[in-house]
């Protein structure tokens, strides 16, 4: 990562500045960083207060170093870990929050000016940085400066640099400037390779590259033999692609092969003026196009909301979080508002709140009867109000696990109404009898409460006690898993664990009324607003034993699945098995990275990442015959062959960063996650000692029976002879969002953040029902053959 390899100064950045100033001032000026007043102020440095809590506040100096990429933060600690934390690259910043929006800053908001504060949020697992400035102007300069860096793209950086270089009198670059440029665009070349490439392009031998030599350097840097091979396959002369040849390629890719689209691509990616004017694409332009997001393996049409959002809620998979408040494990970790922000920013649409009585009449959220810390219910609701609809406009469900007294339940209701305001749904959308749940579109911008609801005719029992059940997934598990629970007799209330329920809280439950699961009988008689929670083991048992009935149940009622209480380390179960049964709210521990969260991220990647994915049509009917345990010949059965040729990888990072000589030995797994019969995985051979540009040219084939439920996961590992292979990166996406043809797979880290610039280059072919999807060249050949036959 940019800036991550720079050594942080032990006490001050002065020594570091003196070493790099001579090398970097010129490129910084060329890029125009010093023309930006905010950036200039950041490079001068600022004295701020770093805040962790009301008690822990330390004075710190922050400064943007002369490389224009790294921010240095003063630290009094001398450990190796502390030194590593002294710097961060501007490219590591995920977002900047102005004011007292973090948990720590909110707790001091009454004693400091809010406009003096801001929070830096990083990608991945790095802790956020809460800062208090001496004045509003200083805070604004840092916020604007960091946001300016955040807005830059790789394309912007390169074009901006080259533009500045062209405006210079000589327009030449030294080796040090080239190295700085490579670091800036996140290309980590070995010193030997970078210097030899520089010398090869320096035809004048003066130690500086002119604009022609710079172009050659970039061409050699970007050279990809496998891309050159694809280019030559479609180019009749091996030098350029005509518009017609580019259209042939686009057609084989399964893309828009119109003349206008081909011309637009030439205008966008072809940098050679002659080729652009004559509507040709050179090898360089083709390479730039193939490296762009337009050739991503993920269908860009699915990056927006494209599905029908007017169906009942029960017809959607809903991104759901379990124990959302926890930062780590279930026993000793901290409870915080930060995980709610992260989950909501990831598009999560169902978050959980474990509510217990707190001091001074204020309810708190934590994992009861454990050593986890407590966070005030009020703070969580304030946070949810602020972030509920930043990533998605569709309804957010608050799953209340309510252990509070009646008095503090009333306080909960008051806070919900006060802070959520008009967003909070407090009554049905219609006065008409409910036949189906409303749709995500109808509930846009609304927050729903999931919990127990006081039913008037049941409440007549013990009026003085106001005794009814409260919401608890533990209770639902108890009622569902206890096989000896007697069936309810007609006319008699359910015999379940009872507690007092506040009428103020009860009346906020509208469409997500928690009830114990009572079986699959009389499905059509059950009110659509009743929903049940299932432990992972109970849900799996129902899928195995009564899969078809569970699918039918889930076509009308909502089901929430939660991890076993024995998962003390906040591990996760396989969510795919639950989706196969049509379960909507498959709640996972978002704080725990791994294969299960990769699948969850992949499942909700499409449809604009809005947290709602429309289930396949064969899972949305109360008379559905789809059985996830026996899919042969039934609904959703569409025999499909997927063939993936893993061609190469680019710039895979070192895993053992402590050892300078360590180089990755990569191999690639391709996995299919779907119904049981479709689950499969296969791998390439390994490539020794090459993470920069390993090449496999390995073809892997898979047979799918129910492609609409399948996810495709690409995993890169560092092969190890003596121990378990190390994880390098992965990417997961729905099969239905997979694009055919030559594609790049942009890998992610274990925590789901970008591993840029690491990619895989693959070719995808899909054959359905034994009929391959013809390429343009194949279709043209068939047309010519038919024409000859007619003649």
């Amino acid at each position: 990562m940019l800036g991550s390899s720079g050594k942080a100064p032990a006490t001050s950045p002065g020594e570091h500045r003196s070493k790099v100033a001579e090398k970097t001032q010129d490129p910084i000026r060329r890029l125009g960083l010093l023309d930006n007043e905010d950036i200039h102020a950041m490079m001068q440095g600022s004295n701020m207060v770093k805040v962790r809590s009301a008690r822990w506040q330390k004075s710190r100096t922050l400064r943007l170093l002369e490389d224009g990429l790294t921010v240095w933060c003063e630290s009094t600690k001398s450990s190796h870990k502390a030194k590593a934390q002294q710097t961060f690259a501007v490219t590591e910043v995920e977002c900047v929050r102005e004011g007292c929006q973090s948990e720590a800053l909110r707790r001091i908001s009454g004693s400091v000016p809010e406009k003096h504060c801001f929070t830096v949020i990083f990608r991945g697992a790095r802790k956020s940085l809460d800062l208090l400035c001496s004045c509003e102007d200083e805070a604004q300069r840092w916020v604007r400066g960091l946001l300016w860096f955040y807005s830059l793209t790789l394309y912007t950086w390169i074009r901006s640099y080259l533009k500045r270089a062209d405006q210079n009198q000589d327009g030449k670059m030294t080796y040090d400037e080239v190295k700085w440029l490579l670091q800036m665009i996140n290309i980590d070349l070995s010193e030997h390779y970078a210097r030899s490439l520089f010398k090869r392009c320096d035809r004048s031998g003066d130690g500086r590259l002119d604009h022609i030599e710079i172009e050659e350097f970039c061409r050699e840097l970007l050279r990809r033999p496998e891309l050159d091979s694809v280019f030559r396959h479609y180019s009749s002369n091996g030098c350029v692609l005509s518009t017609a040849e580019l259209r042939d390629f686009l057609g084989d890719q399964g893309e828009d092969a119109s003349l206008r689209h081909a011309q637009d691509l030439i205008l966008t990616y072809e940098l050679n003026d002659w080729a652009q004017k004559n509507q040709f694409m050179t090898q360089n332009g083709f390479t730039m196009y193939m490296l762009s997001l337009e050739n991503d393996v993920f269908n860009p049409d699915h990056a927006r909301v494209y599905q029908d959002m007017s169906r009942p809620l029960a017809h959607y998979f809903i991104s759901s979080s379990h124990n959302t408040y926890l930062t780590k494990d279930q026993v000793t970790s901290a409870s915080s508002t930060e995980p709610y922000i992260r989950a909501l920013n990831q598009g999560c649409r169902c978050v959980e709140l474990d509510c217990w009585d707190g001091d001074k009449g204020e309810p708190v959220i934590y994992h009861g009867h454990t050593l986890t810390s407590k966070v005030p219910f009020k703070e969580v609701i304030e946070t949810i109000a602020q972030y509920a609809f930043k990533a998605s406009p569709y309804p957010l469900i608050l799953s209340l696990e309510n252990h509070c007294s009646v008095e503090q339940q009333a306080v909960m209701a008051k806070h919900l109404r006060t802070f959520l305001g008009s967003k909070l749904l407090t009554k049905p959308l219609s006065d008409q009898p409910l036949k189906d749940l409303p749709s995500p579109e109808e509930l846009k911008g609304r927050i729903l409460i999931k919990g127990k609801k006081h039913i008037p005719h049941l409440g007549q029992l013990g009026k003085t006690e106001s005794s009814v059940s409260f919401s608890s997934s533990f209770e639902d598990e108890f009622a569902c898993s206890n096989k000896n629970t007697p069936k309810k007799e007609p006319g008699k209330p359910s015999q379940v664990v009872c507690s007092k329920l506040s009428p103020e809280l009860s009346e906020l439950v509208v469409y997500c009324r928690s009830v114990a699961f009572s079986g699959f009988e009389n499905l059509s008689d059950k009110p659509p607003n009743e929903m049940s929670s299932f432990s992972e083991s109970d849900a799996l048992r129902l899928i195995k034993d009564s899969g078809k009935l569970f699918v039918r149940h889930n076509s009308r009622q909502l089901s929430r699945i939660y991890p076993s209480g024995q998962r003390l380390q906040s591990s996760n179960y396989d969510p795919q098995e639950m989706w196969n049964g049509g379960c909507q709210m498959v709640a996972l521990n978002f704080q725990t990275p791994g294969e299960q969260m990769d699948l969850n991220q992949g499942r909700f990647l499409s449809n604009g990442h809005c947290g709602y994915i429309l289930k396949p049509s064969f899972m949305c009917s109360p008379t559905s015959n789809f059985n996830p345990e026996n899919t042969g010949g039934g609904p959703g059965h569409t025999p499909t062959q997927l063939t993936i040729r893993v061609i190469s990888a680019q710039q895979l990072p070192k895993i053992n960063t402590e050892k300078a000589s360590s180089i990755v030995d990569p191999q690639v797994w391709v996995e299919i996650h779907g119904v049981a019969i479709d689950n499969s995985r296969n791998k390439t051979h390994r490539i020794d000692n090459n993470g920069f540009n390993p090449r496999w040219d390995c073809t892997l084939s898979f047979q799918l029976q129910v492609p609409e439920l399948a996810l495709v996961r690409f995993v890169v590992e560092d092969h190890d002879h003596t121990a378990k292979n190390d994880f390098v990166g992965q990417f997961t996406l729905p099969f239905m969002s997979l694009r055919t043809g030559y594609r790049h797979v942009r890998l992610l880290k274990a925590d789901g953040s970008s591993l840029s610039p690491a990619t895989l280059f693959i070719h995808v072919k899909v054959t359905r029902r034994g009929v391959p999807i013809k390429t343009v060249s194949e279709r043209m050949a068939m047309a010519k053959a038919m024409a000859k036959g007619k003649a």
Side-chain angles (χ1 to χ4, degrees):
M1 182 60 76
L2 289 181
S4 58
S5 59
K7 297 295 183 182
T11 56
S12 75
E15 184 179 350
H16 182 88
R17 291 204 314 275
S18 64
K19 289 181 179 179
V20 300
E22 184 178 344
K23 296 180 181 180
T24 59
Q25 280 293 343
D26 190 41
I28 283 179
R29 284 200 176 91
R30 287 191 188 179
L31 187 58
L33 293 181
L34 295 183
D35 296 339
N36 186 311
E37 291 184 4
D38 297 327
I39 305 302
H40 188 268
M42 291 169 66
M43 297 184 77
Q44 295 298 312
S46 300
N47 292 318
M48 305 184 195
V49 176
K50 181 178 177 181
V51 179
R52 287 185 181 171
S53 66
R55 294 183 178 180
W56 198 102
Q57 299 181 36
K58 305 288 185 182
S59 178
R60 293 288 184 263
T61 297
L62 266 73
R63 189 192 308 274
L64 177 67
L65 299 184
E66 283 81 357
D67 62 3
L69 302 168
T70 310
V71 175
W72 174 81
C73 180
E74 178 187 16
S75 175
T76 56
K77 296 182 180 179
S78 58
S79 67
H80 178 76
K81 182 178 180 181
K83 285 185 177 180
Q85 294 290 311
Q86 276 187 263
T87 61
F88 65 85
V90 292
T91 52
E92 293 179 67
V93 177
E94 183 176 278
C95 66
V96 183
R97 299 183 197 147
E98 298 182 63
C100 298
Q101 296 192 41
S102 71
E103 188 173 334
L105 290 177
R106 268 199 298 268
R107 296 191 177 184
I108 65 168
S109 59
S111 59
V112 299
E114 183 163 348
K115 292 184 178 180
H116 291 199
C117 303
F118 68 94
T119 301
V120 183
I121 306 296
F122 299 99
R123 295 187 177 92
R126 182 168 183 158
K127 290 182 179 180
S128 56
L129 187 59
D130 294 317
L131 297 166
L132 169 62
C133 297
S134 58
C135 64
E136 179 182 348
D137 182 63
E138 186 175 53
Q140 283 297 308
R141 285 191 180 279
W142 277 86
V143 169
R144 287 194 304 263
L146 290 171
L147 290 176
W148 183 82
F149 279 113
Y150 180 76
S151 68
L152 294 181
T153 63
L154 169 63
Y155 183 74
T156 309
W157 277 99
I158 295 176
R159 291 301 290 259
S160 178
Y161 188 95
L162 294 179
K163 184 178 179 181
R164 296 282 174 172
D166 287 342
Q167 288 178 353
N168 188 276
Q169 290 285 323
D170 57 19
K172 292 188 175 184
M173 295 170 63
T174 66
Y175 174 73
D176 289 330
E177 292 170 338
V178 169
K179 281 285 288 181
W180 181 83
L181 174 61
L182 294 180
Q183 183 188 17
M184 183 175 67
I185 61 177
N186 214 6
I187 295 180
D188 183 19
L189 295 183
S190 70
E191 180 73 17
H192 173 75
Y193 181 78
R195 197 171 283 279
S196 64
L197 183 60
F198 183 91
K199 287 182 178 179
R200 197 177 351 167
C201 297
D202 181 18
R203 302 191 182 281
S204 60
D206 63 353
R208 291 151 52 118
L209 303 184
D210 60 27
H211 68 279
I212 295 176
E213 293 168 336
I214 292 171
E215 186 176 336
E216 183 181 355
F217 181 90
C218 291
R219 184 168 58 248
E220 289 297 319
L221 184 68
L222 296 173
R223 184 171 299 284
R224 295 270 301 279
E226 65 274 37
L227 289 180
D228 296 347
S229 177
V230 176
F231 178 85
R232 288 194 299 271
H233 177 76
Y234 286 91
S235 171
S236 57
N237 60 15
C239 297
V240 296
L241 286 175
S242 67
T243 308
E245 290 166 342
L246 179 57
R247 292 176 66 188
D248 281 350
F249 172 75
L250 294 172
D252 288 352
Q253 292 280 93
E255 294 182 35
D256 176 8
S258 67
L259 175 63
R260 178 164 185 172
H261 183 54
Q263 291 173 336
D264 286 344
L265 291 178
I266 291 173
L267 286 173
T268 303
Y269 296 101
E270 182 52 63
L271 300 180
N272 183 289
D273 292 337
W274 175 87
Q276 192 178 98
K277 183 178 180 180
N278 291 277
Q279 296 190 2
F280 291 122
M281 182 173 273
T282 64
Q283 194 161 311
N284 285 346
F286 182 74
T287 299
M288 292 296 289
Y289 167 56
M290 292 299 289
L291 294 176
S292 74
L293 282 173
E294 289 202 50
N295 262 285
D296 196 83
V297 70
F298 176 68
N299 188 339
D301 291 337
H302 294 187
R304 58 178 177 81
V305 175
Y306 72 97
Q307 294 180 335
D308 180 4
M309 302 302 287
S310 63
R311 306 280 288 277
L313 278 181
H315 289 188
Y316 297 84
F317 296 126
I318 303 173
S319 179
S320 303
S321 165
H322 173 67
N323 286 355
T324 314
Y325 49 90
L326 290 180
T327 54
K328 291 183 181 177
D329 66 71
Q330 313 275 311
V331 182
T332 61
S333 71
S335 302
S336 170
T337 58
E338 202 61 38
Y340 286 95
I341 297 174
R342 290 187 180 274
L344 292 172
N345 283 341
Q346 290 177 48
C348 181
R349 294 291 84 194
C350 178
V351 296
E352 186 176 28
L353 298 85
D354 255 346
C355 309
W356 298 78
D357 280 357
D359 297 334
K360 299 179 181 179
E362 284 290 340
V364 294
I365 292 176
Y366 81 112
H367 201 227
H369 309 300
T370 68
L371 299 177
T372 57
S373 66
K374 300 173 183 178
V375 59
F377 178 84
K378 178 181 177 181
E379 288 188 11
V380 171
I381 300 305
E382 284 183 290
T383 300
I384 289 172
Q386 186 174 356
Y387 289 92
F389 301 108
K390 284 189 178 293
S392 170
Y394 294 103
L396 173 66
I397 300 170
L398 307 187
S399 181
L400 300 185
E401 189 160 333
N402 176 15
H403 305 274
C404 291
S405 63
V406 170
E407 293 76 17
Q408 293 208 15
Q409 288 177 45
V411 175
M412 288 169 57
K414 178 185 175 183
H415 289 330
L416 288 166
R417 286 183 179 273
T418 300
F419 295 110
L420 302 183
S422 61
K423 300 187 189 97
L424 181 65
L425 189 76
T426 58
K427 61 182 180 180
L429 299 179
S430 170
D431 295 332
Q432 299 299 315
L434 191 64
K435 294 182 179 179
D436 282 304
L437 289 169
S439 69
E441 188 65 34
E442 292 173 306
L443 293 168
K444 219 171 185 180
R446 307 305 294 272
I447 297 177
L448 283 60
I449 302 299
K450 170 192 170 291
K452 292 290 183 180
K453 187 171 182 68
H454 182 93
I455 304 300
H457 70 275
L458 292 181
Q460 300 302 316
L461 292 174
K463 288 183 181 178
T464 57
E465 297 292 330
S466 298
S467 178
V468 292
S469 301
F470 58 68
S471 173
S472 169
S473 53
F474 173 79
E475 287 175 20
D476 289 344
E477 178 182 8
F478 176 83
C480 177
S481 62
N482 188 347
K483 298 178 181 178
N484 298 319
T485 301
K487 290 188 177 180
K488 185 180 75 172
E489 293 182 23
K492 290 188 177 181
S494 301
Q495 300 297 312
V496 295
V497 180
C498 289
S499 178
K500 296 176 182 178
L501 178 67
S502 156
E504 296 92 341
L505 189 60
S506 171
E507 66 182 14
L508 298 183
V509 177
V510 181
Y511 291 124
C512 298
R513 177 184 164 226
S514 296
V515 299
F517 177 68
S518 58
F520 295 121
E521 296 83 8
N522 304 317
L523 175 60
S524 60
D525 296 333
K526 295 180 179 179
N529 65 340
E530 289 186 354
M531 64 171 294
S532 300
S533 293
F534 304 86
S535 70
E536 58 176 284
S537 57
D538 285 323
L540 200 55
R541 175 171 53 80
L542 290 172
I543 291 170
K544 300 292 184 186
D545 297 345
S546 311
K548 186 190 297 185
L549 293 176
F550 205 14
V551 169
R552 290 178 178 179
H553 173 88
N554 289 325
S555 70
R556 195 162 180 270
Q557 318 293 139
L558 291 174
S559 292
R560 181 177 182 272
I561 317 301
Y562 58 90
S564 165
Q566 296 179 347
R567 295 184 179 272
L568 300 181
Q569 296 303 313
S570 296
S571 60
N572 283 309
Y573 55 89
D574 182 0
Q576 182 65 48
E577 294 178 309
M578 311 306 173
W579 293 322
N580 292 343
C583 301
Q584 299 89 352
M585 301 180 194
V586 181
L588 298 179
N589 290 300
F590 271 46
Q591 74 272 29
T592 307
E595 178 181 312
Q596 297 79 17
M597 275 305 297
D598 294 344
L599 298 180
N600 194 75
Q601 189 173 17
R603 173 63 66 198
F604 293 99
L605 180 65
S606 64
N607 205 32
H609 210 250
C610 74
Y612 283 84
I613 298 294
L614 185 62
K615 294 194 287 188
S617 58
F618 55 81
M619 304 183 85
C620 296
S621 168
T623 59
S624 172
N625 286 317
F626 177 73
N627 186 343
E629 295 299 300
N630 183 15
T631 57
H637 184 247
T638 308
T640 301
Q641 180 171 327
L642 171 64
T643 304
I644 296 179
R645 180 157 64 100
V646 181
I647 302 172
S648 63
Q650 296 75 42
Q651 300 184 63
L652 302 176
K654 296 177 182 180
I655 300 303
N656 185 0
T657 56
E658 299 292 325
K659 188 176 180 181
S661 61
S662 174
I663 302 177
V664 68
D665 301 326
Q667 66 178 37
V668 180
W669 286 92
V670 180
E671 304 171 349
I672 305 298
H673 297 262
V675 296
I677 196 173
D678 286 349
N679 290 336
S680 179
R681 66 196 303 252
N682 207 343
K683 65 178 179 178
T684 68
H685 56 281
R686 76 172 186 273
I687 302 290
D688 291 333
N689 298 324
N690 189 348
F692 184 70
N693 57 357
R695 186 163 181 174
W696 293 275
D697 280 317
C698 180
T699 300
L700 308 174
S701 293
F702 304 90
Q703 297 293 330
L704 281 68
Q705 305 303 317
V706 188
E708 287 186 76
L709 280 174
L711 295 172
V712 183
R713 183 170 183 251
F714 299 89
V715 185
V716 181
E717 293 181 341
D718 181 11
H719 185 269
D720 194 318
H721 292 282
T722 59
K724 183 180 178 181
N725 293 348
D726 290 321
F727 174 89
V728 176
Q730 70 85 33
F731 185 74
T732 306
L733 76 165
F735 171 81
M736 303 303 289
S737 297
L738 187 74
R739 299 167 81 193
T740 56
Y742 292 97
R743 303 294 174 188
H744 278 95
V745 180
R746 286 167 172 76
L747 296 173
L748 303 176
K749 299 177 185 177
D751 60 18
S753 60
S754 173
L755 192 61
S756 177
T759 56
L760 292 176
F761 184 53
I762 63 173
H763 182 271
V764 179
K765 185 175 182 179
V766 174
T767 306
R768 292 191 177 91
R769 294 188 180 278
V771 180
I773 299 173
K774 300 291 186 182
T775 64
V776 169
S777 54
E778 289 172 332
R779 290 197 297 269
M780 291 178 65
M782 289 176 62
K784 289 179 181 178
M786 290 177 65
K788 287 182 180 179
K790 288 180 180 180

